[in-house]
Amino acid sequence: MFSIGQLSKRTGVKIPTIRYYEQMGLIDEPERSEGNQRRYTKDGLTRLSFIRHSRDLGFTIEDIRGLLDLSQHPEKPCSDAHSIAAQHLLGVQGRITKLRRLERELKRITKCDADNVATCAVIETLADHGLCETEH
Amino acid sequence: MFSIGQLSKRTGVKIPTIRYYEQMGLIDEPERSEGNQRRYTKDGLTRLSFIRHSRDLGFTIEDIRGLLDLSQHPEKPCSDAHSIAAQHLLGVQGRITKLRRLERELKRITKCDADNVATCAVIETLADHGLCETEH
DNA sequence: CTTGAAGCTCTAGTGGCTAGAGGAATTATA
DNA sequence: TATAATTCCTCTAGCCACTAGAGCTTCAAG
């Protein structure tokens, strides 16, 4: 049996976040001590680790709800899990593409070596979209 | 003089967002018509375009507050603008790095060709961090 | 048995909007 | 000019995934 603090240390999930997950229904309400404190089992630890790891990979709470549900039913086909993950991969790749464009643009405008704002490329570019090299 | 709707069309910023920027103090309260509707000048348009463009480049509202302030003072040295932009560039680059690691991981786990959840790599990897190839 | 750490609930705040209710003003058409 | 259609107004609440803080209770070590 773990206290919420021990669970937090073992999983790296902060205490208020654990309570938040409970509220969101991602983890079951655990048993309580006589004094009403949460007491977790090894299963609780496993489940929270799964959540933590999924969050690290950027899945949303709703994604995770689906993935958790699947993981409880080992006999099911895993195509659902795949489509969640593949969907997420597409999202990640889209974000990378956008950020790379942004990076190029920011690199370009920070090259400016003016010494006052009147002629500064950063300010100028922000004021005038036409100076941009790429769409964003 | 533009109505809020015209301003919105010209800048691509949604109407509630314009009002939100006003509330946040990013744009001045404009004059009003007799019937209390907002009426914007060309200056308002310019300022909102600046904001829109900066948001597109991912600057936060607080960044933009600083950049706007600078842009009003053309005689100032532009080192401040540069440090805001350079700082932001670093942030963007950090996010790209993280997302690329993520992408690798997601690609790897979605390669799984099991046909049920019991042996599915997606589920398995989420449950067990040790199966990951890289840190994230 | 005391003390200090850790736990409890509850409310509110974060950023950057977005949505909706319920009503007033403006503009276009008949 | 009357009316209909559209736009605008304010205000409140919601989104996501937490995070912070107040004010209180319980637990574990010495």
Side-chain angles (χ1 to χ4, degrees):
Chain A
M1 289 296 206
F2 314 108
S3 70
I4 198 169
Q6 289 166 334
L7 194 67
S8 170
K9 277 219 181 78
R10 277 170 183 257
T11 58
V13 180
K14 288 183 190 158
I15 291 173
T17 306
I18 297 175
R19 292 197 274 246
Y20 168 76
Y21 288 157
E22 182 182 321
Q23 220 184 306
M24 294 299 100
L26 276 194
I27 55 183
D28 295 331
E29 293 187 21
E31 289 178 41
R32 300 284 183 133
S33 71
E34 286 192 13
N36 198 35
Q37 300 194 353
R38 289 171 178 81
R39 291 293 176 260
Y40 295 91
T41 63
K42 201 145 180 309
D43 273 5
L45 177 66
T46 306
R47 197 174 168 93
L48 186 58
S49 302
F50 186 106
I51 296 169
R52 166 79 214 260
H53 193 184
S54 303
R55 284 295 298 141
D56 279 350
L57 289 169
F59 289 97
T60 66
I61 299 286
E62 285 317 302
D63 286 341
I64 297 172
R65 218 185 282 281
L67 291 168
L68 275 169
D69 187 56
L70 281 170
S71 75
Q72 301 304 106
H73 300 282
E75 77 291 354
K76 281 195 185 172
C78 62
S79 53
D80 288 4
H82 280 239
S83 86
I84 294 172
Q87 197 56 42
H88 182 51
L89 177 58
L90 279 180
V92 167
Q93 287 172 333
R95 276 196 285 161
I96 290 173
T97 306
K98 277 198 179 176
L99 284 173
R100 292 185 72 83
R101 273 207 290 270
L102 242 176
E103 186 193 17
R104 261 211 310 284
E105 205 58 50
L106 284 170
K107 268 186 183 162
R108 196 179 62 78
I109 71 181
T110 53
K111 267 202 209 118
C112 143
D113 57 356
D115 51 71
N116 65 59
V117 165
T119 53
C120 168
V122 176
I123 297 290
E124 208 158 304
T125 311
L126 292 175
D128 182 358
H129 201 128
L131 297 173
C132 282
E133 283 185 336
T134 59
E135 275 308 308
H136 42 249
Chain B
M1 287 297 206
F2 315 108
S3 69
I4 197 168
Q6 289 167 333
L7 194 68
S8 169
K9 277 216 183 81
R10 277 169 184 259
T11 57
V13 179
K14 289 184 188 155
I15 292 174
T17 306
I18 296 175
R19 291 197 275 246
Y20 168 76
Y21 288 157
E22 182 183 321
Q23 219 185 307
M24 293 299 100
L26 276 193
I27 56 184
D28 294 333
E29 293 188 20
E31 287 178 43
R32 300 286 182 131
S33 71
E34 286 193 12
N36 199 35
Q37 301 194 352
R38 289 170 178 80
R39 291 293 176 261
Y40 296 91
T41 63
K42 201 144 181 307
D43 272 5
L45 177 66
T46 306
R47 197 174 168 94
L48 187 57
S49 303
F50 187 104
I51 295 170
R52 165 80 213 260
H53 194 184
S54 303
R55 285 294 299 141
D56 279 350
L57 289 169
F59 289 97
T60 66
I61 299 287
E62 284 318 302
D63 285 343
I64 297 172
R65 216 186 283 282
L67 291 168
L68 275 169
D69 187 56
L70 282 170
S71 75
Q72 302 303 106
H73 299 283
E75 78 292 354
K76 280 196 184 172
C78 65
S79 53
D80 287 5
H82 279 241
S83 86
I84 293 172
Q87 197 56 41
H88 183 51
L89 177 58
L90 280 180
V92 167
Q93 287 171 333
R95 277 196 284 160
I96 291 173
T97 306
K98 276 198 179 174
L99 284 172
R100 292 187 71 84
R101 274 208 289 268
L102 243 175
E103 186 192 17
R104 263 212 309 285
E105 205 59 50
L106 284 168
K107 268 187 184 162
R108 196 178 63 78
I109 71 180
T110 54
K111 269 204 208 114
C112 144
D113 55 358
D115 50 73
N116 65 57
V117 166
T119 54
C120 167
V122 176
I123 297 290
E124 209 158 304
T125 310
L126 291 175
D128 182 359
H129 200 129
L131 297 173
C132 284
E133 282 185 337
T134 59
E135 275 309 307
H136 42 248

